[in-house]
Amino acid sequence: MKNIQRILYFDDLARDPWLAKIVAYREAIEIGNPNDDYVGIEFSGDIQPNDFEPFHLVTLACLIQKLDDNGYLIYLGKQNQEVFDFLFDNLKFREYWGGGRNYAPALNEMLLNLWRIVDGEKEMYSIQVCDYLKQAFFSHKDLSAVQTNLDEGYYNISDHAEANGNAFSFIKFCPETGKLLVAVCDFGKGIAKSIREHFDIPSDQMAILKSLEDGVTVQSREHNRGFGMGNIISSLQEEDVLHIISNEGYVCVSVDSKSQRANTFHFKGTLIYYELSLSHFENEDILNTFAINEE
């Protein structure tokens, strides 16, 4: 008989309630005494698999990683069988923790799935994503900007997060809208805290805005040239939005505006998620090679 110490129950996928629960459960994990007990993760029957967005899945992955790091045995409940099948069978969550994999292909080809961010694999994964998109949907498009944007998100993790391996990304392509949905999350120190350790800035949201300025750096690594989200911002189209949540700050960026506010919770780490329209990317220049036969 499993000794389930506690149930982590999710009944609302709206952004703020979801993140507030992620934060509350993380805090409970950090002060709890695992004793090798099970922790069950359950979802309300009102939640459907299609309701999940990338930001839900990366924050859930970070929470599961935190449980694993703290010695808990994680149990995915079947109160909502459809969500269980989605996470267990389609997204293959078990292979990340039970099997120790950093990436497993999803059954749904539109979901480029979860990836555990590992220093030595950052560029490799962004290249694989772009190669897949080109082969499956955009054979003549120049997607180099997509690769650069992904690399920027991943380098933010490795350069500033101090997340001790607890960092994930999730990518989803929506063919109906031609948009790529990207989320990157870590349970580290947070961009806001990293910036405020080096600059006299009064709030976390203002620190996030500071991190978006060209050339801003805390020089955490020799190769670092800044927090590097300028390319993501410059790639946004009118209907695209970039969201950044770190510590107690939230910033939303679109083509025409930047807005900021304080959160009602303290998110230790950083969550970056954005949508990127791909249809506007230019076609690749193709050079035709003519064979010249010399007589």
Side-chain angles (χ1 to χ4, degrees):
M1 181 74 179
K2 298 184 182 69
N3 181 20
I4 299 178
Q5 182 179 2
R6 59 165 62 91
I7 296 291
L8 310 185
Y9 187 73
F10 294 94
D11 58 359
D12 192 342
L13 294 187
R15 184 187 62 209
D16 283 2
W18 170 270
L19 293 178
K21 279 206 169 181
I22 291 287
V23 167
Y25 290 148
R26 177 184 179 177
E27 291 174 350
I29 292 166
E30 291 175 335
I31 64 174
N33 180 19
N35 294 322
D36 294 326
D37 284 336
Y38 280 78
V39 171
I41 299 176
E42 290 279 9
F43 294 89
S44 163
D46 296 331
I47 295 175
Q48 298 298 311
N50 288 338
D51 296 334
F52 283 87
E53 295 295 343
F55 82 84
H56 296 110
L57 297 165
V58 291
T59 50
L60 179 62
C62 284
L63 183 66
I64 294 173
Q65 186 65 50
K66 188 69 175 178
L67 286 164
D68 189 58
D69 290 342
N70 283 35
Y72 290 94
L73 301 174
I74 305 110
Y75 175 75
L76 183 60
K78 294 186 178 181
Q79 177 176 322
N80 187 325
Q81 185 68 48
E82 287 185 301
V83 170
F84 174 89
D85 293 341
F86 173 65
L87 297 175
F88 197 85
D89 296 330
N90 193 337
L91 301 187
K92 303 180 182 177
F93 265 37
R94 182 179 182 180
E95 296 189 23
Y96 291 85
W97 290 276
R101 299 181 65 178
N102 294 329
Y103 174 76
L107 296 184
N108 184 339
E109 63 178 6
M110 302 305 164
L111 303 177
L112 283 73
N113 214 9
L114 194 68
W115 177 62
R116 181 183 282 108
I117 299 174
V118 178
D119 267 356
E121 300 177 2
K122 293 189 297 294
E123 295 87 351
M124 178 189 71
Y125 186 66
S126 62
I127 291 171
Q128 289 177 344
V129 168
C130 291
D131 286 347
Y132 171 75
L133 291 171
K134 284 177 67 66
Q135 292 170 10
F137 305 105
F138 299 98
S139 59
H140 300 299
K141 291 289 184 182
D142 180 0
L143 300 181
S144 57
V146 174
Q147 181 181 334
T148 299
N149 292 346
L150 294 175
D151 286 341
E152 287 184 349
Y154 300 152
Y155 269 102
N156 267 303
I157 299 298
S158 64
D159 286 351
H160 308 290
E162 299 179 15
N164 297 317
N166 193 345
F168 292 86
S169 77
F170 193 100
I171 300 172
K172 174 182 178 181
F173 177 63
C174 299
E176 300 85 2
T177 62
K179 286 190 175 188
L180 199 66
L181 306 182
V182 180
V184 182
C185 183
D186 72 80
F187 271 13
K189 69 189 297 184
I191 284 177
K193 183 176 181 180
S194 184
I195 283 286
R196 294 183 72 182
E197 288 176 348
H198 290 79
F199 298 93
D200 183 16
I201 295 177
S203 69
D204 288 338
Q205 56 266 36
M206 296 302 294
I208 297 171
L209 288 172
K210 180 70 174 178
S211 76
L212 301 180
E213 296 177 7
D214 290 340
V216 171
T217 179
V218 296
Q219 297 179 343
S220 54
R221 295 197 180 183
E222 289 182 4
H223 70 261
N224 182 262
R225 296 187 301 173
F227 282 82
M229 281 177 282
N231 283 325
I232 298 176
I233 295 173
S234 65
S235 297
L236 299 178
Q237 298 300 293
E238 288 187 4
E239 64 275 21
D240 299 336
V241 182
L242 166 69
H243 308 264
I244 306 171
I245 293 172
S246 181
N247 307 123
E248 295 182 3
Y250 167 74
V251 168
C252 178
V253 182
S254 64
V255 172
D256 300 321
S257 67
K258 293 184 179 74
S259 60
Q260 51 86 15
R261 63 169 172 80
N263 298 316
T264 57
F265 47 82
H266 186 94
F267 188 91
K268 289 190 288 185
T270 302
L271 169 62
I272 301 169
Y273 64 103
Y274 62 93
E275 52 193 45
L276 190 64
S277 300
L278 302 184
S279 57
H280 74 282
F281 283 104
E282 296 180 356
N283 291 331
E284 288 182 318
D285 291 329
I286 300 175
L287 299 178
N288 293 317
T289 302
F290 298 93
I292 301 176
N293 295 319
E294 295 183 356
E295 296 182 358

